[in-house]
Amino acid sequence: MLEIHVEPIPQGRLVCLVGRLDTKTAPDFEKEALGWAEEGCGGVALDLSGIDYVSSAGLRSILVLAKKMQPLGGRLVLFGMSGVVEEVFSISGFDRLLPVVADRDAACGALS
């Protein structure tokens, strides 16, 4: 199960994910996230502090969002990773593909 909490911020959206981002939940996340990009959302600060598991399907859905936003002038910034989620991002190299910052303030600042 995955909960998606979206808060409008001046730079775009602050999105907090809670639960698992895996093969069952990634398609729903991706569908909602692509909607933000298509609406012209300036940026997304993605809070992963509530994620306790991420699979390759979850990584893919995050990358799809980043790639969709880029040509539209938007930006995706990740923060709040810890434990096994941080390890998955590190091992997969996603922490070098996408901007990862320490906290909400840094993420919102990176979107400015």
Side-chain angles (χ1 to χ4, degrees):
M1 180 164 176
L2 179 70
E3 295 176 29
I4 304 171
H5 304 279
V6 181
E7 177 186 333
I9 57 174
Q11 305 89 335
R13 295 200 178 38
L14 172 66
V15 179
C16 301
L17 301 181
V18 179
R20 297 170 58 94
L21 189 55
D22 56 22
T23 55
K24 290 184 179 184
T25 61
D28 291 334
F29 167 72
E30 188 174 321
K31 182 178 178 181
E32 188 166 340
L34 291 178
W36 308 324
E38 290 168 5
E39 290 171 5
C41 171
V44 173
L46 189 59
D47 181 356
L48 299 175
S49 62
I51 293 293
D52 52 25
Y53 176 79
V54 63
S55 71
S56 59
L59 291 174
R60 181 194 165 282
S61 66
I62 292 171
L63 187 59
V64 166
L65 172 60
K67 286 187 173 187
K68 179 71 172 185
M69 291 184 72
Q70 193 172 27
L72 301 172
R75 185 158 188 215
L76 173 67
V77 178
L78 311 175
F79 72 99
M81 286 185 277
S82 64
V84 70
V85 174
E86 187 174 28
E87 188 175 333
V88 168
F89 272 80
S90 177
I91 290 170
S92 67
F94 271 64
D95 61 345
R96 292 181 301 277
L97 290 174
L98 301 169
V100 178
V101 297
D103 56 29
R104 175 188 170 134
D105 290 340
C108 292
L111 293 178
S112 297

Short mmCIF file of all heavy atoms in Angstrom, two decimals, residues 7-76:
data_model
loop_
_atom_site.label_atom_id
_atom_site.label_comp_id
_atom_site.label_asym_id
_atom_site.label_seq_id
_atom_site.Cartn_x
_atom_site.Cartn_y
_atom_site.Cartn_z
N GLU A 7 1.08 18.54 -1.24
CA GLU A 7 0.90 19.88 -0.68
C GLU A 7 1.42 20.90 -1.69
O GLU A 7 2.58 20.81 -2.11
CB GLU A 7 1.69 19.99 0.62
CG GLU A 7 1.66 21.34 1.25
CD GLU A 7 2.59 21.42 2.47
OE1 GLU A 7 2.85 20.39 3.11
OE2 GLU A 7 3.05 22.53 2.76
N PRO A 8 0.59 21.84 -2.10
CA PRO A 8 1.09 22.88 -3.00
C PRO A 8 2.12 23.75 -2.28
O PRO A 8 1.94 24.09 -1.11
CB PRO A 8 -0.15 23.71 -3.36
CG PRO A 8 -1.32 22.98 -2.81
CD PRO A 8 -0.82 22.01 -1.79
N ILE A 9 3.18 24.07 -2.95
CA ILE A 9 4.19 25.00 -2.46
C ILE A 9 4.45 26.00 -3.58
O ILE A 9 4.11 25.72 -4.74
CB ILE A 9 5.49 24.28 -2.01
CG1 ILE A 9 6.09 23.46 -3.17
CG2 ILE A 9 5.24 23.41 -0.80
CD1 ILE A 9 7.43 22.83 -2.86
N PRO A 10 5.04 27.15 -3.28
CA PRO A 10 5.27 28.15 -4.33
C PRO A 10 6.06 27.61 -5.53
O PRO A 10 5.84 28.02 -6.66
CB PRO A 10 6.03 29.26 -3.62
CG PRO A 10 5.63 29.15 -2.19
CD PRO A 10 5.43 27.67 -1.96
N GLN A 11 6.97 26.68 -5.28
CA GLN A 11 7.82 26.15 -6.35
C GLN A 11 7.18 24.99 -7.10
O GLN A 11 7.76 24.47 -8.04
CB GLN A 11 9.16 25.67 -5.77
CG GLN A 11 9.90 26.68 -4.96
CD GLN A 11 9.51 26.67 -3.48
OE1 GLN A 11 8.44 26.27 -3.08
NE2 GLN A 11 10.42 27.15 -2.65
N GLY A 12 6.02 24.53 -6.67
CA GLY A 12 5.36 23.39 -7.33
C GLY A 12 4.56 22.57 -6.35
O GLY A 12 3.54 22.99 -5.85
N ARG A 13 5.08 21.38 -6.04
CA ARG A 13 4.40 20.49 -5.12
C ARG A 13 5.39 19.81 -4.17
O ARG A 13 6.48 19.42 -4.59
CB ARG A 13 3.65 19.40 -5.88
CG ARG A 13 2.53 19.98 -6.73
CD ARG A 13 1.53 18.96 -7.09
NE ARG A 13 0.39 19.39 -7.86
CZ ARG A 13 0.32 20.27 -8.83
NH1 ARG A 13 1.38 20.92 -9.18
NH2 ARG A 13 -0.78 20.54 -9.46
N LEU A 14 4.97 19.65 -2.93
CA LEU A 14 5.68 18.82 -1.97
C LEU A 14 4.88 17.53 -1.88
O LEU A 14 3.68 17.56 -1.57
CB LEU A 14 5.75 19.49 -0.60
CG LEU A 14 6.30 18.64 0.53
CD1 LEU A 14 7.77 18.32 0.28
CD2 LEU A 14 6.13 19.34 1.86
N VAL A 15 5.51 16.42 -2.19
CA VAL A 15 4.82 15.13 -2.23
C VAL A 15 5.46 14.20 -1.21
O VAL A 15 6.67 13.94 -1.28
CB VAL A 15 4.90 14.51 -3.65
CG1 VAL A 15 4.20 13.16 -3.67
CG2 VAL A 15 4.29 15.45 -4.67
N CYS A 16 4.64 13.74 -0.28
CA CYS A 16 5.11 12.81 0.75
C CYS A 16 4.54 11.43 0.44
O CYS A 16 3.32 11.28 0.30
CB CYS A 16 4.65 13.24 2.13
SG CYS A 16 5.22 14.87 2.60
N LEU A 17 5.42 10.46 0.32
CA LEU A 17 5.01 9.09 0.08
C LEU A 17 5.15 8.29 1.37
O LEU A 17 6.14 8.43 2.08
CB LEU A 17 5.87 8.45 -1.01
CG LEU A 17 5.87 9.14 -2.37
CD1 LEU A 17 6.75 8.36 -3.35
CD2 LEU A 17 4.46 9.29 -2.92
N VAL A 18 4.15 7.45 1.65
CA VAL A 18 4.16 6.62 2.85
C VAL A 18 3.79 5.20 2.46
O VAL A 18 2.75 4.99 1.82
CB VAL A 18 3.17 7.15 3.91
CG1 VAL A 18 3.17 6.26 5.15
CG2 VAL A 18 3.48 8.59 4.28
N GLY A 19 4.64 4.26 2.82
CA GLY A 19 4.37 2.85 2.54
C GLY A 19 5.44 2.24 1.66
O GLY A 19 6.62 2.47 1.85
N ARG A 20 4.98 1.46 0.68
CA ARG A 20 5.88 0.75 -0.22
C ARG A 20 5.70 1.27 -1.65
O ARG A 20 4.58 1.45 -2.11
CB ARG A 20 5.56 -0.74 -0.21
CG ARG A 20 5.78 -1.39 1.14
CD ARG A 20 5.24 -2.81 1.17
NE ARG A 20 5.83 -3.67 0.17
CZ ARG A 20 6.88 -4.46 0.37
NH1 ARG A 20 7.45 -4.49 1.57
NH2 ARG A 20 7.35 -5.23 -0.58
N LEU A 21 6.81 1.48 -2.31
CA LEU A 21 6.79 1.87 -3.73
C LEU A 21 7.33 0.67 -4.51
O LEU A 21 8.53 0.49 -4.63
CB LEU A 21 7.63 3.13 -3.94
CG LEU A 21 7.55 3.79 -5.32
CD1 LEU A 21 6.12 4.12 -5.71
CD2 LEU A 21 8.40 5.05 -5.35
N ASP A 22 6.40 -0.17 -4.96
CA ASP A 22 6.78 -1.44 -5.57
C ASP A 22 5.95 -1.71 -6.81
O ASP A 22 5.27 -0.81 -7.31
CB ASP A 22 6.65 -2.57 -4.55
CG ASP A 22 5.26 -2.69 -3.94
OD1 ASP A 22 4.28 -2.21 -4.55
OD2 ASP A 22 5.14 -3.27 -2.84
N THR A 23 5.98 -2.94 -7.30
CA THR A 23 5.28 -3.26 -8.55
C THR A 23 3.77 -3.05 -8.46
O THR A 23 3.13 -2.76 -9.46
CB THR A 23 5.57 -4.71 -8.99
OG1 THR A 23 5.22 -5.60 -7.93
CG2 THR A 23 7.01 -4.91 -9.36
N LYS A 24 3.21 -3.17 -7.27
CA LYS A 24 1.77 -2.97 -7.11
C LYS A 24 1.39 -1.50 -7.03
O LYS A 24 0.34 -1.09 -7.50
CB LYS A 24 1.27 -3.69 -5.86
CG LYS A 24 1.27 -5.19 -5.99
CD LYS A 24 0.68 -5.83 -4.76
CE LYS A 24 0.67 -7.34 -4.93
NZ LYS A 24 0.03 -8.00 -3.80
N THR A 25 2.24 -0.68 -6.41
CA THR A 25 1.89 0.71 -6.16
C THR A 25 2.51 1.70 -7.13
O THR A 25 2.01 2.81 -7.29
CB THR A 25 2.28 1.11 -4.72
OG1 THR A 25 3.70 0.97 -4.57
CG2 THR A 25 1.57 0.26 -3.69
N ALA A 26 3.61 1.31 -7.77
CA ALA A 26 4.31 2.23 -8.68
C ALA A 26 3.43 2.73 -9.83
O ALA A 26 3.50 3.91 -10.17
CB ALA A 26 5.59 1.59 -9.21
N PRO A 27 2.60 1.88 -10.45
CA PRO A 27 1.77 2.39 -11.55
C PRO A 27 0.82 3.52 -11.11
O PRO A 27 0.63 4.50 -11.85
CB PRO A 27 0.99 1.16 -12.02
CG PRO A 27 1.87 0.01 -11.66
CD PRO A 27 2.50 0.42 -10.34
N ASP A 28 0.23 3.40 -9.93
CA ASP A 28 -0.66 4.45 -9.45
C ASP A 28 0.12 5.74 -9.16
O ASP A 28 -0.34 6.84 -9.49
CB ASP A 28 -1.40 4.01 -8.18
CG ASP A 28 -2.41 2.91 -8.46
OD1 ASP A 28 -2.90 2.82 -9.61
OD2 ASP A 28 -2.71 2.13 -7.53
N PHE A 29 1.30 5.60 -8.55
CA PHE A 29 2.14 6.76 -8.29
C PHE A 29 2.52 7.42 -9.62
O PHE A 29 2.41 8.64 -9.77
CB PHE A 29 3.41 6.39 -7.52
CG PHE A 29 4.43 7.48 -7.52
CD1 PHE A 29 4.23 8.63 -6.77
CD2 PHE A 29 5.57 7.40 -8.30
CE1 PHE A 29 5.16 9.67 -6.79
CE2 PHE A 29 6.51 8.41 -8.32
CZ PHE A 29 6.30 9.55 -7.56
N GLU A 30 2.95 6.61 -10.57
CA GLU A 30 3.40 7.16 -11.86
C GLU A 30 2.26 7.89 -12.57
O GLU A 30 2.46 8.99 -13.09
CB GLU A 30 3.93 6.03 -12.74
CG GLU A 30 4.59 6.51 -14.00
CD GLU A 30 5.23 5.38 -14.77
OE1 GLU A 30 5.83 4.47 -14.16
OE2 GLU A 30 5.14 5.40 -16.01
N LYS A 31 1.08 7.33 -12.54
CA LYS A 31 -0.08 7.97 -13.19
C LYS A 31 -0.37 9.34 -12.56
O LYS A 31 -0.55 10.33 -13.27
CB LYS A 31 -1.30 7.07 -13.09
CG LYS A 31 -2.52 7.62 -13.78
CD LYS A 31 -3.69 6.67 -13.68
CE LYS A 31 -4.91 7.26 -14.33
NZ LYS A 31 -6.07 6.38 -14.23
N GLU A 32 -0.39 9.37 -11.24
CA GLU A 32 -0.66 10.64 -10.55
C GLU A 32 0.47 11.64 -10.80
O GLU A 32 0.25 12.81 -11.07
CB GLU A 32 -0.85 10.42 -9.05
CG GLU A 32 -1.31 11.66 -8.35
CD GLU A 32 -1.83 11.41 -6.94
OE1 GLU A 32 -2.19 10.28 -6.60
OE2 GLU A 32 -1.86 12.39 -6.17
N ALA A 33 1.71 11.15 -10.72
CA ALA A 33 2.88 12.02 -10.88
C ALA A 33 2.95 12.61 -12.29
O ALA A 33 3.27 13.79 -12.46
CB ALA A 33 4.15 11.24 -10.57
N LEU A 34 2.64 11.82 -13.30
CA LEU A 34 2.67 12.34 -14.66
C LEU A 34 1.60 13.41 -14.86
O LEU A 34 1.78 14.33 -15.64
CB LEU A 34 2.52 11.21 -15.67
CG LEU A 34 3.72 10.26 -15.75
CD1 LEU A 34 3.46 9.14 -16.75
CD2 LEU A 34 5.00 10.99 -16.07
N GLY A 35 0.52 13.31 -14.11
CA GLY A 35 -0.50 14.36 -14.13
C GLY A 35 0.04 15.68 -13.64
O GLY A 35 -0.26 16.74 -14.20
N TRP A 36 0.87 15.65 -12.60
CA TRP A 36 1.48 16.89 -12.09
C TRP A 36 2.36 17.51 -13.17
O TRP A 36 2.31 18.71 -13.39
CB TRP A 36 2.34 16.65 -10.86
CG TRP A 36 1.69 15.91 -9.74
CD1 TRP A 36 0.38 16.00 -9.36
CD2 TRP A 36 2.29 14.96 -8.88
NE1 TRP A 36 0.15 15.15 -8.30
CE2 TRP A 36 1.31 14.51 -7.99
CE3 TRP A 36 3.58 14.45 -8.77
CZ2 TRP A 36 1.56 13.57 -6.99
CZ3 TRP A 36 3.85 13.52 -7.78
CH2 TRP A 36 2.84 13.08 -6.91
N ALA A 37 3.14 16.68 -13.83
CA ALA A 37 4.04 17.18 -14.87
C ALA A 37 3.25 17.79 -16.01
O ALA A 37 3.58 18.87 -16.51
CB ALA A 37 4.94 16.06 -15.38
N GLU A 38 2.18 17.12 -16.43
CA GLU A 38 1.37 17.61 -17.54
C GLU A 38 0.62 18.88 -17.20
O GLU A 38 0.30 19.67 -18.08
CB GLU A 38 0.42 16.51 -18.01
CG GLU A 38 1.17 15.38 -18.70
CD GLU A 38 0.32 14.13 -18.93
OE1 GLU A 38 -0.89 14.16 -18.63
OE2 GLU A 38 0.90 13.13 -19.39
N GLU A 39 0.35 19.10 -15.91
CA GLU A 39 -0.31 20.34 -15.46
C GLU A 39 0.65 21.52 -15.49
O GLU A 39 0.25 22.65 -15.25
CB GLU A 39 -0.83 20.18 -14.03
CG GLU A 39 -2.01 19.25 -13.90
CD GLU A 39 -2.34 18.97 -12.44
OE1 GLU A 39 -1.72 19.56 -11.53
OE2 GLU A 39 -3.22 18.14 -12.21
N GLY A 40 1.93 21.24 -15.72
CA GLY A 40 2.92 22.31 -15.75
C GLY A 40 3.48 22.63 -14.39
O GLY A 40 3.97 23.74 -14.16
N CYS A 41 3.43 21.68 -13.49
CA CYS A 41 4.00 21.86 -12.15
C CYS A 41 5.47 22.23 -12.28
O CYS A 41 6.23 21.55 -12.96
CB CYS A 41 3.83 20.56 -11.37
SG CYS A 41 4.68 20.51 -9.82
N GLY A 42 5.88 23.31 -11.66
CA GLY A 42 7.26 23.78 -11.77
C GLY A 42 8.27 22.82 -11.19
O GLY A 42 9.34 22.62 -11.75
N GLY A 43 7.96 22.21 -10.08
CA GLY A 43 8.90 21.30 -9.46
C GLY A 43 8.21 20.41 -8.45
O GLY A 43 7.13 20.73 -7.97
N VAL A 44 8.84 19.29 -8.17
CA VAL A 44 8.32 18.36 -7.18
C VAL A 44 9.44 18.05 -6.18
O VAL A 44 10.52 17.62 -6.57
CB VAL A 44 7.83 17.05 -7.82
CG1 VAL A 44 7.45 16.02 -6.75
CG2 VAL A 44 6.64 17.31 -8.74
N ALA A 45 9.15 18.32 -4.91
CA ALA A 45 10.02 17.90 -3.82
C ALA A 45 9.42 16.61 -3.28
O ALA A 45 8.32 16.62 -2.72
CB ALA A 45 10.07 18.98 -2.74
N LEU A 46 10.11 15.51 -3.49
CA LEU A 46 9.58 14.19 -3.16
C LEU A 46 10.17 13.70 -1.84
O LEU A 46 11.36 13.40 -1.76
CB LEU A 46 9.89 13.21 -4.29
CG LEU A 46 9.24 11.84 -4.24
CD1 LEU A 46 7.71 11.96 -4.23
CD2 LEU A 46 9.69 11.01 -5.44
N ASP A 47 9.31 13.64 -0.82
CA ASP A 47 9.70 13.21 0.51
C ASP A 47 9.57 11.69 0.61
O ASP A 47 8.47 11.15 0.56
CB ASP A 47 8.81 13.89 1.55
CG ASP A 47 9.15 13.52 2.98
OD1 ASP A 47 10.04 12.68 3.21
OD2 ASP A 47 8.51 14.09 3.88
N LEU A 48 10.70 11.01 0.75
CA LEU A 48 10.71 9.55 0.82
C LEU A 48 10.91 9.04 2.24
O LEU A 48 11.17 7.85 2.44
CB LEU A 48 11.80 9.00 -0.10
CG LEU A 48 11.63 9.36 -1.58
CD1 LEU A 48 12.82 8.87 -2.39
CD2 LEU A 48 10.34 8.77 -2.14
N SER A 49 10.76 9.91 3.23
CA SER A 49 11.00 9.49 4.62
C SER A 49 9.98 8.46 5.09
O SER A 49 10.26 7.69 6.01
CB SER A 49 11.01 10.70 5.57
OG SER A 49 9.75 11.35 5.55
N GLY A 50 8.82 8.42 4.47
CA GLY A 50 7.79 7.45 4.85
C GLY A 50 7.82 6.16 4.04
O GLY A 50 6.98 5.28 4.24
N ILE A 51 8.78 6.03 3.16
CA ILE A 51 8.90 4.83 2.34
C ILE A 51 9.78 3.81 3.05
O ILE A 51 10.91 4.11 3.43
CB ILE A 51 9.50 5.17 0.95
CG1 ILE A 51 8.53 6.03 0.16
CG2 ILE A 51 9.85 3.91 0.17
CD1 ILE A 51 7.25 5.33 -0.24
N ASP A 52 9.24 2.61 3.25
CA ASP A 52 10.04 1.57 3.91
C ASP A 52 10.56 0.53 2.92
O ASP A 52 11.38 -0.31 3.29
CB ASP A 52 9.26 0.91 5.04
CG ASP A 52 7.89 0.41 4.62
OD1 ASP A 52 7.68 0.13 3.44
OD2 ASP A 52 7.02 0.30 5.51
N TYR A 53 10.11 0.59 1.67
CA TYR A 53 10.61 -0.34 0.64
C TYR A 53 10.42 0.29 -0.72
O TYR A 53 9.38 0.88 -1.00
CB TYR A 53 9.83 -1.66 0.71
CG TYR A 53 10.22 -2.63 -0.38
CD1 TYR A 53 11.38 -3.38 -0.29
CD2 TYR A 53 9.44 -2.77 -1.52
CE1 TYR A 53 11.75 -4.26 -1.30
CE2 TYR A 53 9.79 -3.64 -2.53
CZ TYR A 53 10.95 -4.38 -2.42
OH TYR A 53 11.32 -5.24 -3.41
N VAL A 54 11.42 0.15 -1.58
CA VAL A 54 11.31 0.60 -2.96
C VAL A 54 11.89 -0.49 -3.86
O VAL A 54 12.97 -1.00 -3.59
CB VAL A 54 11.99 1.97 -3.19
CG1 VAL A 54 13.47 1.91 -2.94
CG2 VAL A 54 11.71 2.49 -4.59
N SER A 55 11.14 -0.87 -4.89
CA SER A 55 11.60 -1.88 -5.83
C SER A 55 12.10 -1.21 -7.10
O SER A 55 12.03 0.02 -7.25
CB SER A 55 10.44 -2.83 -6.18
OG SER A 55 9.49 -2.15 -7.00
N SER A 56 12.55 -2.02 -8.04
CA SER A 56 13.00 -1.46 -9.32
C SER A 56 11.84 -0.77 -10.04
O SER A 56 12.04 0.23 -10.73
CB SER A 56 13.61 -2.55 -10.21
OG SER A 56 12.67 -3.58 -10.45
N ALA A 57 10.62 -1.26 -9.87
CA ALA A 57 9.46 -0.60 -10.47
C ALA A 57 9.25 0.78 -9.85
O ALA A 57 8.88 1.73 -10.55
CB ALA A 57 8.21 -1.45 -10.30
N GLY A 58 9.48 0.90 -8.56
CA GLY A 58 9.38 2.19 -7.89
C GLY A 58 10.44 3.16 -8.38
O GLY A 58 10.16 4.34 -8.64
N LEU A 59 11.67 2.67 -8.50
CA LEU A 59 12.75 3.50 -9.03
C LEU A 59 12.40 3.99 -10.44
O LEU A 59 12.59 5.16 -10.77
CB LEU A 59 14.06 2.73 -9.07
CG LEU A 59 14.70 2.39 -7.73
CD1 LEU A 59 15.91 1.50 -7.94
CD2 LEU A 59 15.07 3.63 -6.96
N ARG A 60 11.89 3.08 -11.24
CA ARG A 60 11.53 3.42 -12.61
C ARG A 60 10.46 4.52 -12.64
O ARG A 60 10.55 5.46 -13.42
CB ARG A 60 11.01 2.18 -13.35
CG ARG A 60 10.63 2.46 -14.78
CD ARG A 60 9.81 1.29 -15.37
NE ARG A 60 9.17 1.71 -16.59
CZ ARG A 60 8.08 2.45 -16.69
NH1 ARG A 60 7.48 2.89 -15.60
NH2 ARG A 60 7.56 2.79 -17.85
N SER A 61 9.45 4.43 -11.78
CA SER A 61 8.38 5.43 -11.78
C SER A 61 8.91 6.81 -11.39
O SER A 61 8.47 7.83 -11.94
CB SER A 61 7.24 5.01 -10.86
OG SER A 61 7.64 4.98 -9.51
N ILE A 62 9.88 6.87 -10.49
CA ILE A 62 10.50 8.14 -10.12
C ILE A 62 11.30 8.70 -11.29
O ILE A 62 11.23 9.89 -11.59
CB ILE A 62 11.38 7.97 -8.86
CG1 ILE A 62 10.49 7.68 -7.64
CG2 ILE A 62 12.25 9.20 -8.62
CD1 ILE A 62 11.24 7.27 -6.39
N LEU A 63 12.04 7.83 -11.97
CA LEU A 63 12.82 8.26 -13.13
C LEU A 63 11.92 8.74 -14.27
O LEU A 63 12.22 9.75 -14.92
CB LEU A 63 13.73 7.13 -13.61
CG LEU A 63 14.71 7.48 -14.71
CD1 LEU A 63 15.65 8.60 -14.27
CD2 LEU A 63 15.51 6.25 -15.11
N VAL A 64 10.80 8.07 -14.49
CA VAL A 64 9.85 8.50 -15.52
C VAL A 64 9.35 9.91 -15.22
O VAL A 64 9.26 10.75 -16.12
CB VAL A 64 8.67 7.49 -15.63
CG1 VAL A 64 7.52 8.07 -16.42
CG2 VAL A 64 9.15 6.19 -16.26
N LEU A 65 9.04 10.18 -13.96
CA LEU A 65 8.59 11.52 -13.57
C LEU A 65 9.67 12.55 -13.86
O LEU A 65 9.40 13.60 -14.46
CB LEU A 65 8.19 11.56 -12.09
CG LEU A 65 7.89 12.95 -11.53
CD1 LEU A 65 6.73 13.61 -12.27
CD2 LEU A 65 7.60 12.85 -10.04
N ALA A 66 10.90 12.27 -13.46
CA ALA A 66 12.01 13.21 -13.67
C ALA A 66 12.20 13.50 -15.16
O ALA A 66 12.36 14.65 -15.57
CB ALA A 66 13.29 12.66 -13.07
N LYS A 67 12.14 12.45 -15.98
CA LYS A 67 12.34 12.62 -17.42
C LYS A 67 11.18 13.37 -18.07
O LYS A 67 11.38 14.13 -19.01
CB LYS A 67 12.54 11.27 -18.09
CG LYS A 67 13.90 10.69 -17.81
CD LYS A 67 14.14 9.44 -18.61
CE LYS A 67 15.56 8.97 -18.43
NZ LYS A 67 15.87 7.86 -19.31
N LYS A 68 9.97 13.18 -17.56
CA LYS A 68 8.80 13.88 -18.10
C LYS A 68 8.86 15.37 -17.75
O LYS A 68 8.50 16.22 -18.56
CB LYS A 68 7.52 13.25 -17.54
CG LYS A 68 6.26 13.90 -18.01
CD LYS A 68 5.98 13.61 -19.46
CE LYS A 68 4.61 14.10 -19.85
NZ LYS A 68 4.25 13.73 -21.19
N MET A 69 9.34 15.69 -16.56
CA MET A 69 9.36 17.08 -16.11
C MET A 69 10.45 17.89 -16.80
O MET A 69 10.28 19.09 -17.02
CB MET A 69 9.55 17.14 -14.59
CG MET A 69 8.34 16.63 -13.84
SD MET A 69 8.55 16.81 -12.08
CE MET A 69 8.39 18.58 -11.93
N GLN A 70 11.57 17.27 -17.09
CA GLN A 70 12.73 17.99 -17.61
C GLN A 70 12.44 18.81 -18.86
O GLN A 70 12.73 20.01 -18.89
CB GLN A 70 13.88 17.01 -17.85
CG GLN A 70 15.19 17.68 -18.08
CD GLN A 70 16.31 16.65 -18.13
OE1 GLN A 70 16.10 15.50 -18.48
NE2 GLN A 70 17.50 17.07 -17.76
N PRO A 71 11.86 18.24 -19.93
CA PRO A 71 11.63 19.07 -21.11
C PRO A 71 10.54 20.13 -20.91
O PRO A 71 10.43 21.07 -21.68
CB PRO A 71 11.22 18.06 -22.19
CG PRO A 71 10.79 16.85 -21.48
CD PRO A 71 11.51 16.85 -20.17
N LEU A 72 9.75 19.98 -19.84
CA LEU A 72 8.70 20.96 -19.55
C LEU A 72 9.22 22.07 -18.63
O LEU A 72 8.46 22.92 -18.19
CB LEU A 72 7.51 20.25 -18.89
CG LEU A 72 6.86 19.14 -19.71
CD1 LEU A 72 5.83 18.39 -18.89
CD2 LEU A 72 6.24 19.70 -20.98
N GLY A 73 10.52 22.02 -18.32
CA GLY A 73 11.12 23.05 -17.48
C GLY A 73 10.95 22.79 -16.00
O GLY A 73 11.26 23.66 -15.18
N GLY A 74 10.46 21.62 -15.63
CA GLY A 74 10.27 21.28 -14.22
C GLY A 74 11.46 20.54 -13.66
O GLY A 74 12.40 20.19 -14.37
N ARG A 75 11.41 20.31 -12.36
CA ARG A 75 12.53 19.65 -11.70
C ARG A 75 12.01 18.77 -10.58
O ARG A 75 11.02 19.11 -9.91
CB ARG A 75 13.46 20.71 -11.12
CG ARG A 75 14.70 20.12 -10.52
CD ARG A 75 15.81 21.13 -10.45
NE ARG A 75 17.02 20.42 -10.03
CZ ARG A 75 17.94 20.91 -9.28
NH1 ARG A 75 17.84 22.15 -8.86
NH2 ARG A 75 18.99 20.21 -8.95
N LEU A 76 12.68 17.67 -10.36
CA LEU A 76 12.36 16.74 -9.28
C LEU A 76 13.54 16.68 -8.32
O LEU A 76 14.68 16.51 -8.76
CB LEU A 76 12.09 15.34 -9.84
CG LEU A 76 11.89 14.21 -8.83
CD1 LEU A 76 10.61 14.42 -8.03
CD2 LEU A 76 11.85 12.87 -9.54
#
